[in-house]
Amino acid sequence: MDRLTYILSLIVVGLTPLDAVTVADDLSIGRVFYLLLLFSAFFSKSVLKVPQGGYLKILFVFSLWAFLTSYWSFKPDETMYRCLYLVQYFVLAVILQNVIDTPQKFHWLCGAWFLGAMYIATETIFNYLVYGITSASLYRVDEFGNANENSFMLCFGVILFLVNAERIKYKILIYAVLLYSFLAILANGSRTGFIMYLLVIFIYLLSELKRGSKSIYYIFPVFLWLAVYYFNHVLSEGSYERFMHISDDIKSSDLANRQWIWRMALEIMSEKDVSLLWGTGWSTFPYVLQSHTSVFYDSHNFYLNILFTTGIIGFCILGYYLFTLVRYISFIPHHRMRYSLLLVIPMISMLTTNWEYRRWWFLLGVFVYKLYQNSLTYDREEE
């Protein structure tokens, strides 16, 4: 059962980028395999151990606090329902913490997410080439989920690919993946994804320069030429204009109504009937906003959403969780610049998106902590 649990763990992680693809109402493919994993793990000896990793304790405390907010929640039923997802995410993190017990298994775990992200990239590019490339207006691929979410999943998949880049003999394969992913990001039409991806490329190139890699001088120029050519000559006019005006949109605060949502949230939090310390209850943001403005919108900001729904207490717990992951990265002696992307990209994505109902931010702790553990094992082997 241990081997079956491990295989199912890889499948569940690999399907995480596909969370938005459902087979029925509120039922994703990943959730089906999660139930199978849960059944397998119940009979597996490897998950009966007490897991190591301080980040799990923090996630447990946060989940418990989220449950407590149901007592004063603006919408108690919704809070309790969404808290059940937190239980699932925490159990999955515990299973992975125990099952992924070797560097080799960790590499396969990274590969599983990467393959899931590449599937979305392939479907996105194909859809765009069929329908979007001939469109003069803006065309965004949304058949596979939210474009911003898909872009983050793809960026994170590329980062996990780069984490294992030392195992790849031919550097040209790395740049081929980077170029292919870039095309998918453009097809998504996500400005946030575009900025995140450029940052991934920039940090990766800096890390390669720092370690004296020669491939950057003769492979990257080809990659850059192909990327610029596609951007200027293949991308539709609407998509081209969308990306070229990113800086203007930021200056003019044209953030797809996000600035209005954030302003209203701050105004609501300043009112006496909303406690800044306790929050309005986990996952209640759109309902509270609707009660004040008659508009049902998510927060489009992970941090603001946590502060709004779980108060200062929940926000501090989340902050401590992220700080703990930063400390793990800081203790890794090699490739620290590249590995920092595991935190930098999610934290940037959290600024304009709210996916508290997705499991990736729980899995983030697993990836970072396992990378930290493996670095310690690597150092001991070197000695």
Side-chain angles (χ1 to χ4, degrees), residues 207-255:
S207 67
E208 288 293 283
L209 285 172
K210 186 177 180 181
R211 63 191 296 269
S213 176
K214 296 181 180 179
S215 64
I216 191 175
Y217 297 106
Y218 59 86
I219 298 181
F220 177 69
V222 177
F223 159 81
L224 182 61
W225 182 85
L226 289 173
V228 172
Y229 179 84
Y230 182 92
F231 189 84
N232 288 319
H233 300 284
V234 181
L235 199 64
S236 69
E237 182 180 346
S239 297
Y240 179 85
E241 291 295 324
R242 178 178 177 83
F243 290 120
M244 290 301 296
H245 291 148
I246 289 178
S247 60
D248 295 335
D249 291 340
I250 294 176
K251 291 178 182 179
S252 62
S253 297
D254 183 11
L255 303 175

Side-chain angles (χ1 to χ4, degrees), residues 117-331:
M118 285 298 102
Y119 173 79
I120 286 294
T122 301
E123 292 291 327
T124 299
I125 291 175
F126 177 78
N127 183 289
Y128 184 80
L129 291 177
V130 173
Y131 301 105
I133 201 170
T134 58
S135 175
S137 60
L138 176 64
Y139 180 84
R140 302 187 69 183
V141 179
D142 57 6
E143 284 83 357
F144 317 107
N146 180 274
N148 291 325
E149 182 176 9
N150 285 339
S151 294
F152 164 74
M153 295 294 183
L154 180 57
C155 283
F156 198 73
V158 170
I159 294 169
L160 294 176
F161 174 78
L162 295 177
V163 165
N164 294 320
E166 294 302 313
R167 301 165 60 86
I168 301 174
K169 184 177 181 180
Y170 301 104
K171 293 292 184 180
I172 192 172
L173 294 178
I174 297 177
Y175 287 101
V177 169
L178 293 178
L179 179 60
Y180 189 73
S181 304
F182 180 68
L183 302 184
I185 291 291
L186 293 180
N188 264 329
S190 170
R191 292 172 293 189
T192 303
F194 183 73
I195 294 173
M196 289 190 297
Y197 191 77
L198 291 182
L199 183 59
V200 170
I201 297 294
F202 178 72
I203 296 298
Y204 173 70
L205 293 178
L206 280 183
S207 67
E208 288 293 283
L209 285 172
K210 186 177 180 181
R211 63 191 296 269
S213 176
K214 296 181 180 179
S215 64
I216 191 175
Y217 297 106
Y218 59 86
I219 298 181
F220 177 69
V222 177
F223 159 81
L224 182 61
W225 182 85
L226 289 173
V228 172
Y229 179 84
Y230 182 92
F231 189 84
N232 288 319
H233 300 284
V234 181
L235 199 64
S236 69
E237 182 180 346
S239 297
Y240 179 85
E241 291 295 324
R242 178 178 177 83
F243 290 120
M244 290 301 296
H245 291 148
I246 289 178
S247 60
D248 295 335
D249 291 340
I250 294 176
K251 291 178 182 179
S252 62
S253 297
D254 183 11
L255 303 175
N257 292 326
R258 287 182 175 88
Q259 74 281 8
W260 177 82
I261 297 172
W262 299 340
R263 184 175 67 252
M264 292 305 303
L266 294 175
E267 291 180 5
I268 293 172
M269 284 191 292
S270 66
E271 297 179 5
K272 295 182 180 179
D273 58 335
V274 176
S275 173
L276 189 59
L277 182 62
W278 312 107
T280 61
W282 179 248
S283 291
T284 58
F285 182 92
Y287 299 97
V288 177
L289 182 67
Q290 186 181 42
S291 69
H292 285 74
T293 65
S294 299
V295 177
F296 190 87
Y297 270 147
D298 286 319
S299 63
H300 291 285
N301 185 300
F302 189 91
Y303 306 105
L304 179 62
N305 187 75
I306 296 296
L307 179 62
F308 192 95
T309 61
T310 62
I312 294 176
I313 296 177
F315 186 81
C316 288
I317 298 173
L318 173 70
Y320 187 54
Y321 169 62
L322 296 175
F323 173 74
T324 300
L325 300 186
V326 170
R327 291 183 69 243
Y328 289 148
I329 293 292
S330 67
F331 292 149

